[in-house]
Amino acid sequence: MTTDTSKSAGTQAEGEQSPGPEPGRPPARRWAAIGTSGLALLPLALLGAAFWIGRLVRPGGDDWCFLPVVRDGGASGMIGKFFLHDNGRIANALLVIGYGAFGVPGQQWFALVSGVLMLGILWALIASALKRAGLTAPRGTALLVGATTAALFFFATPNPYKAFYWPANSVSHTVAPVLACAAVIPLLRARTRRGRDFALVVAYLAGIFIGTLSEETAIVAFVVLATVLLMSRWALPGTGRTRTRIWCIVAFAGVAAGTAILYLSPGARSRRARFGADSTSMLGPEALTGALRAFAHVLATVFTTWQYLGAVAVGVLLGLLVRGGEQGTDVPDGSLRRRPLLLLLAGFLAFLVSGYLCVVIVYPAFGASAGGASRIWGDFLLLFLLLLVGAGALLGRRLRARRWGIRTVTAGVAAAMCAAACVGLAVPLLRLERQMEVRAQRWDRQDRALREGAARGARVLPYTPVSVSGMLEPFGNKGRRAWPAKCVAQYYHLEKITHSTRLP
């Protein structure tokens, strides 16, 4: 019976076959599939618009320093810059090479490529989790949940430009946590010995990659893996518990190996010295207290961002629509059925601990402004969103036992909340598009002037700061901040650029 149930769940894309009560009438399951697919068009349309807006991205901030290195030094030059001088993040260097090798077009295509990749991963993660739990849902449900989660993750932050459109930041704090989620998919999909071995190999290699990509995502991974190991005693039975523990240990070892490579690298030592992290202990009372205040500011902002209710709403829809995994059914591993509330509470505790630790490690660099540096929140915000979806799903499962009218009203309210969240994200995104378009026009105009001047043999040329969404530009802060003026000069093959207040 277990095998038949598992196979029937596995043979459906997201499982939905349920014969209609009357010949000639579409079954309720089909109407649910139509509704979820239609609702999924809203976050997908928002993501599609965001991908199109990516054409307006132009280099800024750290990109000024990365692009000349990739152009002149190639892959070895970029890896050497990161590992030996900047921060030790080898995997980060590889991703920078991936888009930096194409110059400005690479910047413009980054949002589309990375966004589609992350959407696909989140979609596959939801579908795999449902399948592993022995649950089925109407077609389009996993896509709806994945797309809504992706849209909230990308655009509900205080600065979507830095979180999604700025490649130098996105690879470390937006792409990194989603890649960490991708490592879980082989474990959820594994059914054979070979599949489980493959999942272990992926876990270890992905752990090394994450450890050398983002210190903050590595911290979140450490805390989550430790939490799963502790909770597996109550949440998982028999062989499922043992296999999950082995996977967590292997993944933990991979992240630890990658983190050790990063921490011991010359670039990481140089960065710690540059920000005084070696001389000022991150674990001192003053630093820990300051980090706690900064994290309290983060939580105050996150908990008052109403669009995140869209994650709860889409979770409620998920809980109302799924079938299977009921009491008395023999679900392989029983992974998501036993003690779900306890797991959810442990997950939220892991979010609080990992989020605070992320702020602790960046506090030496950002100081009191760490709480306002929203670009680094992505490392732990994805966990928060997935937990909100889980909380909504538990609520939806409870409401399934209610009368049909209550379920219908709840589904309608949840769908309206999902739509409202998408609209609430679309309005500021359109404003950002207009700002990016103005900046792109000015950037292109100045780019042509600088290239023409360099072609004429000029060695020193004026530069006018052209910024968007708080991005650092040469001569910011009313001309007092020079960084990254040297990088801009190198990009245009100049000896120096000087501050100007007028565009050419």
Side-chain angles (χ1 to χ4, degrees):
M1 179 178 177
T2 302
T3 304
D4 293 340
T5 302
S6 175
K7 286 182 179 179
S8 70
T11 55
Q12 310 301 329
E14 289 167 34
E16 69 265 63
Q17 276 56 12
S18 175
E22 299 178 16
R25 279 189 65 186
R29 207 68 166 160
R30 186 178 301 172
W31 282 117
I34 293 173
T36 53
S37 298
L39 187 59
L41 292 177
L42 289 175
L44 288 175
L46 180 66
L47 291 169
F51 298 158
W52 172 246
I53 294 171
R55 76 193 189 281
L56 301 173
V57 173
R58 298 294 187 271
D62 291 28
D63 299 325
W64 283 120
C65 298
F66 297 164
L67 292 176
V69 175
V70 175
R71 179 194 64 200
D72 302 334
S76 60
M78 194 70 235
I79 293 173
K81 172 180 172 61
F82 271 55
F83 185 74
L84 299 176
H85 305 290
D86 284 3
N87 48 42
R89 300 171 186 163
I90 302 175
N92 198 312
L94 294 175
L95 294 182
V96 170
I97 293 165
Y99 69 82
F102 299 97
V104 175
Q107 306 269 318
Q108 297 167 342
W109 281 89
F110 177 83
L112 172 62
V113 175
S114 65
V116 170
L117 173 65
M118 290 187 284
L119 171 61
I121 289 173
L122 293 174
W123 181 9
L125 178 69
I126 301 299
S128 300
L130 292 175
K131 182 178 179 181
R132 187 65 181 181
L135 303 171
T136 61
R139 292 183 187 276
T141 303
L143 177 59
L144 169 63
V145 177
T148 303
T149 304
L152 292 168
F153 181 52
F154 298 156
F155 311 123
T157 64
N159 195 327
Y161 184 90
K162 289 186 176 181
F164 183 64
Y165 289 111
W166 183 24
N169 177 77
S170 182
V171 295
S172 296
H173 305 294
T174 305
V175 175
V178 180
L179 291 180
C181 289
V184 184
I185 296 175
L187 173 67
L188 297 173
R189 290 283 181 176
R191 291 292 182 272
T192 64
R193 174 66 180 272
R194 180 175 296 179
R196 290 189 289 271
D197 290 343
F198 176 73
L200 292 177
V201 173
V202 170
Y204 186 73
L205 295 179
I208 294 177
F209 191 85
I210 293 299
T212 55
L213 175 62
S214 170
E215 298 96 318
E216 292 79 17
T217 298
I219 283 181
V220 176
F222 281 135
V223 175
V224 171
L225 290 170
T227 303
V228 173
L229 282 171
L230 291 173
M231 298 302 299
S232 62
R233 178 178 180 181
W234 297 278
L236 295 169
T239 57
R241 178 193 308 155
T242 302
R243 291 167 183 166
T244 301
R245 285 179 171 177
I246 292 174
W247 186 90
C248 287
I249 292 171
V250 171
F252 199 100
V255 178
T259 302
I261 293 172
L262 187 152
Y263 185 81
L264 298 174
S265 68
R269 289 198 298 269
S270 174
R271 187 172 187 269
R272 291 194 296 271
R274 191 161 61 250
F275 291 110
D278 284 336
S279 58
T280 305
S281 173
M282 290 186 294
L283 302 179
E286 184 178 348
L288 292 177
T289 303
L292 184 60
R293 286 194 297 267
F295 187 55
H297 173 78
V298 174
L299 294 179
T301 304
V302 171
F303 292 160
T304 55
T305 301
W306 68 267
Q307 288 91 342
Y308 287 136
L309 291 175
V312 180
V314 79
V316 170
L317 289 174
L318 178 64
L320 290 171
L321 293 171
V322 293
R323 297 292 184 270
E326 307 290 352
Q327 293 294 336
T329 59
D330 186 12
V331 180
D333 294 346
S335 54
L336 296 182
R337 185 163 58 83
R338 301 182 60 191
R339 302 180 185 272
L341 185 58
L342 182 61
L343 286 174
L344 193 63
L345 293 175
F348 276 106
L349 180 60
F351 157 70
L352 293 173
V353 171
S354 60
Y356 172 60
L357 292 178
C358 286
V359 176
V360 167
I361 67 170
V362 303
Y363 192 79
F366 289 92
S369 63
S374 61
R375 65 186 181 86
I376 63 172
W377 297 3
D379 300 277
F380 51 86
L381 275 186
L382 181 59
L383 173 60
F384 176 68
L385 284 170
L386 294 175
L387 289 169
L388 290 182
V389 172
L394 287 183
L395 178 60
R397 292 283 277 180
R398 290 295 182 93
L399 292 173
R400 280 186 57 209
R402 302 286 183 174
R403 290 179 298 179
W404 181 85
I406 295 178
R407 295 199 306 270
T408 303
V409 171
T410 302
V413 172
M417 188 67 244
C418 290
C422 291
V423 173
L425 295 175
V427 173
L429 186 63
L430 292 176
R431 286 200 298 264
L432 177 61
E433 178 187 20
R434 289 192 289 271
Q435 296 168 9
M436 291 172 61
E437 185 172 13
V438 171
R439 196 235 177 186
Q441 293 172 353
R442 293 176 177 176
W443 193 96
D444 291 342
R445 176 179 169 183
Q446 182 161 238
D447 177 67
R448 287 191 297 270
L450 289 170
R451 291 184 182 279
E452 291 170 357
R456 292 193 302 267
R459 307 310 302 160
V460 179
L461 289 173
Y463 181 88
T464 304
V466 181
S467 184
V468 63
S469 293
M471 289 288 295
L472 292 179
E473 280 283 292
F475 314 115
N477 193 19
K478 298 181 179 179
R480 290 190 289 269
R481 183 190 294 117
W483 190 88
K486 290 183 179 180
C487 297
V488 174
Q490 182 183 2
Y491 180 76
Y492 289 108
H493 301 287
L494 300 171
E495 292 180 0
K496 183 181 178 181
I497 59 171
T498 57
H499 182 221
S500 173
T501 57
R502 296 180 58 186
L503 284 170

